Amino acid sequence: PILEAQIRRIYHQVCDSGQELMAMGIQPLLQYAINLQRTGSNFLDYVFLNGEIMNEDGFESRCSVENNVFHLIPFYLCKMLLLYHFGFYEQAEIVSIKLKSLKTYAIEYSFCSIPFNFYRGMIFYERYRSTKKRSYLRQARKAKKVVYQEHLYDNPNATPFLKILNIEELARKTQNTKELIRSCDQVISTQDEEGLPHLEMLANEQAARILCAAGSSKSFKYLEQAAFVSKVKWGSNAKYNWLQNQ
């Protein structure tokens, strides 16, 4: 709710100043934040950027007509994140390909590069798990390499994301539950200490999935923690509801 309030305030300030194009660029971010507060039982409602602020079909159409690549970046990025958060991985893959195809500086080299490649990597790990196609694993590792390179350049923003991606690779190498629990707990603690509740939630969700696949009864504990962090720390009713149904 705090994030939504902050974005909403900025959005209205920009609108009041008559800067329509700048306001348009904020619309996907605000609608994304609003979607995270939804409480309905239809999870499809969570992933469409439709509502109080915008209509996604109209937004995408206008950007295409005006050749407005700049505003397509936050639109596709927010859409991709929503699809990933609520388990629509195949659709998230399609949006990530659209975003990658823009080939803009903002995606390749700006602050967007790390979160984009992180979520792109996580999407492809999910697609590999469901299809067993090694092409997805290669693409996941390619995205991970981008985040790793930023880490090597001493970019502190890359490290929390890289730690989660490293767990994906660890889970492919071992089914030792003690090692998995120890490593997952370290990553979760890091996200908590860094004050990154969205990544803390995601790390708990990841731990639950990996431990369930390894046959550990402790997976449920991490799913409960993910739900708690989602609602209490991150403030997302929608993600909380989704986790409660897993």
Side-chain angles (χ1 to χ4, degrees):
I2 295 174
L3 177 62
E4 178 192 339
Q6 291 174 336
I7 299 174
R8 188 181 293 276
R9 184 173 65 253
I10 294 169
Y11 176 69
H12 287 302
Q13 287 174 347
V14 172
C15 288
D16 291 343
S17 66
Q19 301 181 64
E20 182 188 357
L21 280 178
M22 185 176 291
M24 185 179 174
I26 301 172
Q27 286 177 355
L29 302 174
L30 179 52
Q31 191 62 57
Y32 168 81
I34 292 171
N35 281 24
L36 291 176
Q37 304 310 313
R38 289 182 172 170
T39 57
S41 58
N42 185 357
F43 298 129
L44 272 174
D45 291 339
Y46 298 172
V47 301
F48 288 101
L49 289 166
N50 296 327
E52 172 192 350
I53 301 301
M54 62 178 287
N55 172 277
E56 68 171 42
D57 289 339
F59 187 96
E60 187 175 15
S61 176
R62 179 180 173 183
C63 287
S64 298
V65 169
E66 298 177 356
N67 196 26
N68 187 345
V69 175
F70 180 76
H71 287 147
L72 281 174
I73 294 170
F75 171 70
Y76 284 143
L77 188 60
C78 289
K79 179 76 174 177
M80 183 180 76
L81 265 60
L82 287 172
L83 288 165
Y84 175 79
H85 283 315
F86 299 109
F88 296 92
Y89 304 121
E90 185 175 355
Q91 293 87 342
E93 176 197 350
I94 294 169
V95 175
S96 77
I97 292 170
K98 287 183 178 181
L99 186 50
K100 181 75 172 176
S101 70
L102 296 179
K103 296 181 179 179
T104 66
Y105 178 90
I107 290 300
E108 301 293 340
Y109 305 108
S110 80
F111 65 91
C112 293
S113 174
I114 294 174
F116 168 65
N117 281 285
F118 167 73
Y119 280 101
R120 184 173 166 83
M122 294 297 285
I123 289 164
F124 283 127
Y125 278 121
E126 290 287 356
R127 296 292 290 135
Y128 172 68
R129 270 189 289 277
S130 63
T131 67
K132 304 305 179 185
K133 292 181 179 179
R134 292 194 64 83
S135 60
Y136 283 124
L137 183 59
R138 289 193 294 270
Q139 292 193 72
R141 288 173 169 170
K142 187 176 180 180
K144 178 178 178 287
K145 185 177 180 180
V146 175
V147 180
Y148 177 66
Q149 290 293 336
E150 290 294 331
H151 171 72
L152 290 182
Y153 296 149
D154 294 324
N155 186 336
N157 296 318
T159 307
F161 292 105
L162 181 61
K163 288 180 179 293
I164 293 175
L165 291 168
N166 285 340
I167 293 292
E168 294 294 330
E169 286 296 321
L170 177 65
R172 293 198 66 255
K173 297 174 182 176
T174 182
Q175 291 289 296
N176 185 312
T177 55
K178 288 185 178 180
E179 182 180 358
L180 289 170
I181 289 171
R182 181 174 63 254
S183 299
C184 286
D185 283 345
Q186 289 174 350
V187 173
I188 291 166
S189 294
T190 297
Q191 313 302 346
D192 181 28
E193 291 166 4
E194 294 292 332
L196 301 169
H198 61 302
L199 294 184
E200 184 185 352
M201 175 276 299
L202 200 154
N204 273 289
E205 183 183 0
Q206 177 189 56
R209 169 175 43 78
I210 287 172
L211 290 171
C212 181
S216 173
S217 61
K218 293 188 177 180
S219 63
F220 184 69
K221 181 192 80 169
Y222 289 96
L223 192 63
E224 284 189 322
Q225 286 180 183
F228 172 81
V229 172
S230 178
K231 189 174 184 68
V232 177
K233 291 188 176 182
W234 193 28
S236 174
N237 293 319
K239 183 65 177 182
Y240 172 82
N241 291 340
W242 186 81
L243 288 166
Q244 290 290 91
N245 278 270
Q246 300 309 299

